[in-house]
Amino acid sequence: MSPGAPLSTDSVITRSVGAAPDRFAAGHLGELTQQVPFEMVDEVLAETGAVQARVRNLPARVVVYLLLAGCLFTGIGYRQVWARLIAGLEGLPVPIPTASALTQARTRLGAGPLRRLFEVLAGPAATGRVPGTRWRGLLLCAIDGTLLSVPDSPANLGVYRKQAGGPCGGGSYPTLRLVTLLACGTRTVISAVFGPASTGETRYAPGLFAALRPGMLVLADRNFTAGGLITAINSTGAQVLFRARTGRGGPALPALARNPDGSFRSVFGGVAVRVIDARISVRTTAGSRTQTYRLLTTLLDTSRYPAAELIGLYHQRWEIETAYLELKSGLLGGRVLRARTPAGVEQEVWALLICYQAIRTAMTDATNSVPDLDPDRAGFTTALHAARDQVIHAAGVIADTTIDLVGAIGRAILADLLPDRRPRTNARTVKRAISKYNARGPHIDRRTYPTTVTIDVLTGTDKPDQPLTTRHWR
């Protein structure tokens, strides 16, 4: 073929794009639009009174999807995010807004519609009899908090404070505290609250309790073991499994009656509880360590809820830590949020949670398609990159007449499943120092080791070296 000659029709690849018409075309999230459909967004906008009075170049629906897409592409500005939204819409009449126009559109929208949209999407992803999601009929949930950094602007500093520091000074950025209620098996968010980091986790936690239901088992660390919180959770019908401090800082838990499995009955916050003491030993080729733990639960039936199983079950609380890793290192890439005003920060955090929930729901749809496949084997990074690709190609925006519950994102996940979980341990230290000097000493072992875990449920006698029950994991 001579240079400049037109291509044969046999040499041209064509495809059709399914998108909303006219000025709404850029409002999509690729295949994730099926998790956050047009109809849902429109209903939320109408409910919150955020529908535009006249159709602009940037309708409110389009701005919602722009904010969500911004959470998929956190390393670039909103104009570049817009370029990715329209990259797959070649041939369609789409506007090219200025950076100022995008800023004004986000400000007009406000945070209300994003908050309401999260409330509609929040909840445990639907699963059947999937491993790891329930224990003895109870939905495993966890409560915990984390910190997010916001831009160091005068407006943000009026609401969010920098963390105080030692001799080297305080934090570089103001921070907000995010506290969530999470379904451990699928890592989907059931409820969330956030605000200035100057307020503690236990002050934010009651804002989550409206989402609690009978049939839930809530896991939490020692920071949440307060009588008032236990009482409030118990009033919802949900059960708790919390770690409790021991020694001087621990709650007073008088042994009212000793159970056959070594646990004992007590009262905390006016609620009847069962207290389980255990010694946990972790052995690796590099050595071993042993520590005594105390758990407090409202599950009083010792035959239905064995103490040894509850001790092992508490480890599921770490699923919320993994979720925060996905949110902060996966979606955000370790970056500071974009918004330079408190209203913008609130809007961005709700968008971030919506985006995370949509990805996690798509991951659960994929693992649900394979019988007995543990959701832990779905890779978040794989799903995130597949979702980004679908946005750029504007693919899967409108579902076909034949519903594909797995989709391109799901197929990418199933083609690259993570291996089964293995018991491993790793020192909880700074893995990468922010300076060239050693972090926390010159001889930190940062390797990960296979482990053998031994759990001894203590009988409550004066001879704690005589366990009632021993369990091993390898």
Side-chain angles (χ1 to χ4, degrees):
M1 180 181 296
S2 60
L7 292 175
S8 165
T9 54
D10 294 333
S11 305
V12 178
I13 299 175
T14 61
R15 69 184 183 95
S16 60
V17 175
D22 304 325
R23 296 176 184 177
F24 291 90
H28 69 88
L29 204 59
E31 191 175 272
L32 288 181
T33 311
Q34 297 182 36
Q35 306 294 341
V36 193
F38 301 147
E39 297 81 5
M40 180 186 292
V41 174
D42 288 344
E43 185 175 341
V44 164
L45 290 170
E47 182 180 336
T48 56
V51 179
Q52 64 282 338
R54 58 187 175 86
V55 178
R56 304 169 180 265
N57 282 337
L58 292 171
R61 182 211 289 176
V62 173
V63 180
V64 169
Y65 286 111
L66 171 69
L67 285 160
L68 299 183
C71 297
L72 288 177
F73 301 99
T74 52
I76 58 178
Y78 278 112
R79 283 206 71 193
Q80 293 171 295
V81 173
W82 182 267
R84 280 152 179 77
L85 286 172
I86 66 174
L89 303 176
E90 187 176 353
L92 297 180
V94 291
I96 308 296
T98 63
S100 176
L102 293 174
T103 299
Q104 293 173 31
R106 299 195 309 273
T107 302
R108 278 197 306 271
L109 183 69
L114 278 299
R115 176 171 185 165
R116 181 58 188 144
L117 184 57
F118 170 76
E119 292 171 349
V120 172
L121 289 166
T127 58
R129 296 182 177 273
V130 176
T133 57
R134 292 180 179 270
W135 177 77
R136 295 181 177 262
L138 297 172
L139 179 69
L140 299 180
C141 305
I143 290 177
D144 205 356
T146 191
L147 297 176
L148 297 175
S149 297
V150 305
D152 188 0
S153 67
N156 282 341
L157 285 170
V159 175
Y160 305 105
R161 295 287 185 265
K162 297 181 182 181
Q163 289 185 288
C168 297
S172 299
Y173 293 98
T175 55
L176 69 78
R177 191 181 305 279
L178 170 67
V179 183
T180 66
L181 172 66
L182 189 94
C184 295
T186 58
R187 290 186 222 136
T188 44
V189 184
I190 300 173
S191 186
V193 291
F194 58 87
S198 54
T199 300
E201 294 174 341
T202 55
R203 294 281 299 276
Y204 284 120
L208 305 171
F209 295 166
L212 294 175
R213 300 287 185 273
M216 290 181 172
L217 176 59
V218 182
L219 315 179
D221 64 19
R222 290 173 289 187
N223 190 44
F224 291 89
T225 306
L229 295 182
I230 299 288
T231 304
I233 293 173
N234 185 69
S235 68
T236 69
Q239 306 292 335
V240 304
L241 179 63
F242 285 11
R243 187 179 174 188
R245 290 184 174 88
T246 55
R248 264 184 209 176
L253 295 167
L256 303 181
R258 181 67 58 178
N259 294 317
D261 62 356
S263 63
F264 63 87
R265 296 283 188 97
S266 189
V267 174
F268 185 58
V271 177
V273 296
R274 177 177 161 211
V275 182
I276 305 168
D277 290 323
R279 184 174 57 243
I280 300 179
S281 300
V282 178
R283 294 180 176 84
T284 72
T285 55
S288 63
R289 66 180 186 273
T290 300
Q291 189 172 353
T292 300
Y293 285 76
R294 167 167 283 184
L295 295 186
L296 181 153
T297 182
T298 50
L299 297 172
L300 305 181
D301 190 332
T302 59
S303 58
R304 187 174 180 183
Y305 308 110
E309 289 189 29
L310 285 168
I311 291 287
L313 185 70
Y314 180 73
H315 190 265
Q316 291 292 316
R317 189 198 72 79
W318 282 90
E319 297 294 342
I320 196 169
E321 305 286 1
T322 304
Y324 285 146
L325 176 68
E326 293 168 344
L327 191 75
K328 295 164 68 174
S329 295
L331 274 177
L332 282 174
R335 298 178 180 87
V336 178
L337 297 177
R338 287 189 175 93
R340 302 187 65 81
T341 65
V345 167
E346 181 184 0
Q347 183 187 64
E348 188 175 352
V349 173
W350 289 123
L352 191 69
L353 291 168
I354 293 166
C355 192
Y356 179 80
Q357 186 79 348
I359 294 172
R360 268 281 153 199
T361 304
M363 293 169 68
T364 304
D365 288 343
T367 54
N368 281 347
S369 69
V370 180
D372 300 321
L373 180 60
D374 194 323
D376 285 342
R377 297 194 60 194
F380 184 82
T381 301
T382 300
L384 175 58
H385 285 290
R388 287 170 175 166
D389 291 343
Q390 297 301 297
V391 170
I392 294 171
H393 294 298
V397 174
I398 298 176
D400 293 331
T401 53
T402 302
I403 301 299
D404 181 3
L405 291 179
V406 176
I409 298 174
R411 283 188 287 275
I413 292 167
L414 296 176
D416 193 19
L417 290 172
L418 300 176
D420 288 322
R421 285 268 183 94
R422 306 179 302 283
R424 294 175 296 169
T425 186
N426 186 279
R428 196 175 185 184
T429 60
V430 176
K431 302 300 189 297
R432 182 190 297 172
I434 60 175
S435 73
K436 64 182 180 180
Y437 301 103
N438 291 320
R440 297 190 182 181
H443 304 297
I444 302 289
D445 186 354
R446 293 179 172 84
R447 289 173 290 180
T448 297
Y449 292 93
T451 66
T452 299
V453 180
T454 303
I455 296 179
D456 299 331
V457 180
L458 304 180
T459 62
T461 67
D462 294 332
K463 299 178 180 180
D465 59 331
Q466 297 179 357
L468 178 69
T469 307
T470 300
R471 300 189 69 189
H472 301 272
W473 284 270
R474 287 185 184 274

